[in-house]
């Protein structure tokens, strides 16, 4: 009798875990977070967890300290936007969730290969004077506390790809 109760309890726990996994991580879960549009970097406030990475030009995020400054590209913002869209389109398991009407702000989700954990990435293409442009990127995990540097590596790889495409 005790074994059958334990098995039933284990089955309920497994079904609950599978249900949560399917609800949170299934393909239908790729929608934008509730009431979210691409981030307003001027109002951005970071969480206290280390599973995030922010690159922004000086003064762009007055309420959040960037992890690194953004490079300035010697191209107009429209060309940088097009290069960023190409980077995102080639990034594995990445979906564009929302985009501003001019395409200069984007909200993306990139999922981990094995368990499909989602990381949200906000991107803003900004003018940088004298015909140049720059980018602000905020990448963060939806679940967990630590990301083992995944968000940082993603942002740095995307910036390196942008530099390669622009020829900067």
């Amino acid at each position: 009798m005790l074994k059958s109760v334990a098995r039933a309890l284990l089955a309920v726990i497994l079904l609950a875990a599978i249900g949560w996994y399917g609800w949170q991580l299934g393909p239908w879960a790729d929608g934008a977070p509730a009431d979210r549009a691409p981030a307003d970097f001027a109002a951005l406030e970071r969480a206290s967890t280390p599973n995030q990475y922010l690159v922004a030009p000086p003064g762009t995020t007055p309420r959040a300290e960037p992890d690194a400054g953004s490079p300035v590209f010697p191209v107009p913002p429209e060309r940088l936007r097009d290069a960023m869209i190409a980077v995102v389109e080639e990034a594995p398991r990445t979906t564009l969730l929302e985009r501003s009407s001019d395409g200069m702000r984007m909200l993306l989700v990139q999922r981990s290969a094995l368990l499909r954990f989602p990381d949200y990435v906000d991107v803003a293409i900004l003018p940088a004077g004298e015909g140049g442009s720059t980018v602000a990127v905020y990448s963060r995990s939806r679940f967990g506390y630590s990301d083992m540097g995944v968000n940082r590596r993603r942002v740095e790889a995307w910036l390196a790809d942008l530099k390669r495409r622009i020829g900067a």
Side-chain angles (χ1 to χ4, degrees):
M1 169 85 164
L2 190 58
K3 281 187 177 183
S4 61
V5 169
R7 285 185 185 148
L9 182 60
L10 180 60
V12 167
I13 291 170
L14 284 174
L15 285 173
I18 290 168
W20 177 88
Y21 180 83
W23 180 257
Q24 294 293 323
L25 304 175
W28 49 83
D30 275 346
D35 70 6
R36 279 292 319 265
D40 174 6
F41 281 89
L44 179 69
E45 293 184 21
R46 296 178 67 167
S48 62
T49 58
N51 60 351
Q52 56 189 317
Y53 192 72
L54 173 63
V55 169
T60 305
T61 57
R63 299 171 138 188
E65 181 71 27
D67 294 297
S70 297
V72 174
F73 297 89
V75 296
E78 295 78 16
R79 180 152 175 235
L80 184 59
R81 174 201 59 207
D82 295 344
M84 179 55 107
I85 289 170
V87 167
V88 167
E89 286 175 346
E90 291 181 9
R93 302 169 313 280
T94 303
T95 304
L96 176 65
L97 299 177
E98 298 289 332
R99 185 171 156 184
S100 64
S101 60
D102 62 1
M104 298 296 186
R105 296 184 319 140
M106 299 171 240
L107 172 60
L108 310 135
V109 63
Q110 186 176 55
R111 292 186 169 272
S112 62
L114 186 59
L115 295 176
R116 292 189 38 80
F117 288 119
D119 289 345
Y120 290 112
V121 185
D122 281 288
V123 175
I125 307 298
L126 306 163
E130 298 187 25
S133 56
T134 188
V135 62
V137 183
Y138 180 46
S139 181
R140 70 246 178 242
S141 302
R142 179 172 177 194
F143 300 111
Y145 181 79
S146 176
D147 67 346
M148 297 179 284
V150 169
N151 287 294
R152 179 183 185 151
R153 285 191 301 276
R154 172 186 304 113
V155 172
E156 289 176 349
W158 286 10
L159 290 175
D161 196 3
L162 270 178
K163 288 178 183 176
R164 181 185 60 77
R165 289 172 188 275
I166 297 294

